[in-house]
Amino acid sequence: MKQITLSWQGSIALLFAVAAMFMLPLYAAGAPAPPSSATTALITLLVIAAALVCFAPLSTAIAATALFIGTHSAAWLLLGTLSGNERFAGASFFLLLAAGWLLASRCVTELSELQPPTHVGKWLLRLLIPAIFGAWILIIWEAITRGAGIPFVILPPPSAIWARISGSLPILGEDIRQTIFKAVLIGYAVGCLSGFVVAILADRFTFLRRGLLPIGNMVSALPIIGVAPIMVMWFGFDWQSKAAVVIIMTFFPMLVNTVAGLAASGNMERDLMRTYASNYWQTLVKLRLPAAMPFIFNALKINSTLALIGAIVAEFFGTPIVGMGFRISTEMGRMNVDMVWAEIAVAALAGSIFYGVVALAERAVTFWHPSIRGG
């Protein structure tokens, strides 16, 4: 059991909740569908109860559970009162929202102190903490855009973006197929593989290493908006030109990181391989490539985001009437900002999945590395 301690999140949240009680109602006069007094009282009580949990002598697990239930129940009820009352939210509404956010941060603090005894528990906890962060970004976004009446063309609420996503699945599916499954994946595979092969050659032949790396630093600084139109002129308007842009963007990060990784093995290990009469290729396969794997996967993770950015931006400069970049460009011109944000959300989700797959592969391959064992 914990001793009673002061919590700055709980103290400020409690002050916000008390201040909100003196500034009721939640919505300004003229709101079409103001919430009932019982709903308002329940939201306030949930926030106050969650704030008091911060000071109670409870175990970390119980405190985190109580904070999670209290804050998210209050947030769910608070967002529910927005229906029909857009643009009418008052000071008490935003004070309770701020109090809920502070208590959610306290919940994350409590969760971070937990040490689950099982591997599954640790894995679930690693997912839950960022999920709470992400959920509260969406909650605050939804509450501010709808409650304050921010114009739709400036920033649509997440609910409108989700409605657009669910209503445009065939269009989004075609855009994903064109951009990700053609341009991104093909360009990523070719760029990373060619960068890896050239790095091996550059490591074997000194003149290549001395000549290519300075050029690589120069080419990696080229602006994509200058390269993309040239690739469209060379390879046409279809996905091939976008894949070419992705190849250029992913080739040199892989080259530079692989060359650095091949030099990461220590002199003592190399001397040991020489005492075993190992030739260059045996030393490369059994010592230097395993030691370079953290560097190689670092390049793969960097390229997983660069590839998606490169393909989408390249589609701004010429593409068939399909693709994520094409859709963002055309729908922005029509002021259909919800569709633009839908494409952005899908691209962010796809990029996160892509990065996550590479990170999982890294953990499986470099399980021996201290950074993985420590996690």
Side-chain angles (χ1 to χ4, degrees):
M1 302 294 284
K2 297 189 305 183
Q3 299 296 323
I4 296 178
T5 57
L6 291 178
S7 166
W8 68 268
Q9 295 105 323
S11 300
I12 298 176
L14 193 60
L15 289 175
F16 282 174
V18 172
M21 293 174 62
F22 288 98
M23 296 182 180
L24 292 174
L26 293 177
Y27 296 94
S36 64
S37 300
T39 301
T40 302
L42 179 58
I43 295 171
T44 307
L45 288 175
L46 283 171
V47 172
I48 292 175
L52 294 176
V53 167
C54 297
F55 308 104
L58 302 173
S59 67
T60 303
I62 295 176
T65 302
L67 284 168
F68 181 86
I69 295 173
T71 54
H72 291 88
S73 298
W76 181 72
L77 290 171
L78 196 63
L79 291 179
T81 64
L82 278 170
S83 180
N85 296 313
E86 289 80 0
R87 304 188 305 275
F88 286 94
S92 59
F93 176 91
F94 292 108
L95 283 171
L96 290 174
L97 178 68
W101 172 72
L102 287 169
L103 295 172
S105 69
R106 181 64 187 180
C107 176
V108 169
T109 302
E110 297 285 351
L111 289 172
S112 300
E113 296 177 359
L114 290 176
Q115 297 294 332
T118 64
H119 178 73
V120 175
K122 293 178 181 178
W123 181 76
L124 290 175
L125 189 62
R126 283 198 296 264
L127 291 178
L128 180 60
I129 291 175
I132 293 174
F133 269 100
W136 272 91
I137 290 174
L138 296 178
I139 289 170
I140 294 172
W141 182 354
E142 180 81 10
I144 292 177
T145 51
R146 294 179 62 195
I150 294 176
F152 192 85
V153 296
I154 295 178
L155 184 64
S159 57
I161 298 170
W162 173 251
R164 172 60 74 173
I165 292 174
S166 59
S168 306
L169 291 179
I171 296 174
L172 292 172
E174 285 297 314
D175 291 342
I176 291 172
R177 186 179 66 86
Q178 174 73 14
T179 302
I180 296 178
F181 288 101
K182 289 184 178 180
V184 171
L185 291 183
I186 294 175
Y188 179 84
V190 174
C192 291
L193 181 60
S194 58
F196 176 79
V197 171
V198 173
I200 298 295
L201 295 175
D203 179 77
R204 185 71 178 92
F205 303 104
T206 306
F207 76 93
L208 280 178
R209 181 168 64 252
R210 293 180 178 176
L212 273 178
L213 292 184
I215 296 176
N217 294 329
M218 180 187 70
V219 173
S220 62
L222 291 177
I224 185 176
I225 58 173
V227 174
I230 297 174
M231 294 299 104
V232 170
M233 293 176 62
W234 286 2
F235 299 101
F237 287 91
D238 210 345
W239 62 267
Q240 292 88 347
S241 59
K242 318 308 176 291
V245 173
V246 174
I247 291 171
I248 293 174
M249 294 189 67
T250 57
F251 175 84
F252 288 102
M254 176 58 73
L255 171 63
V256 172
N257 278 274
T258 303
V259 169
L262 291 173
S265 57
N267 293 327
M268 184 180 298
E269 291 86 352
R270 297 189 191 185
D271 290 340
L272 181 62
M273 294 298 291
R274 279 192 287 268
T275 62
Y276 294 151
S278 299
N279 59 29
Y280 172 81
W281 297 108
Q282 289 173 327
T283 304
L284 177 70
V285 172
K286 296 182 178 181
L287 172 64
R288 302 181 67 204
L289 274 180
M293 281 301 162
F295 293 82
I296 294 172
F297 274 101
N298 185 52
L300 289 173
K301 290 188 291 186
I302 292 172
N303 286 342
S304 67
T305 55
L306 287 178
L308 186 59
I309 294 170
I312 290 176
V313 174
E315 287 179 345
F316 290 174
F317 298 93
T319 184
I321 55 173
V322 67
M324 305 182 81
F326 164 79
R327 197 74 56 193
I328 291 173
S329 178
T330 56
E331 296 299 333
M332 196 66 213
R334 299 172 182 171
M335 300 303 290
N336 293 331
V337 290
D338 54 345
M339 188 62 184
V340 174
W341 279 97
E343 292 281 356
I344 292 173
V346 171
L349 179 61
S352 299
I353 293 173
F354 196 1
Y355 186 94
V357 170
V358 176
L360 289 175
E362 179 185 22
R363 294 184 68 87
V365 174
T366 62
F367 59 90
W368 49 267
H369 197 265
S371 63
I372 303 299
R373 288 183 299 170

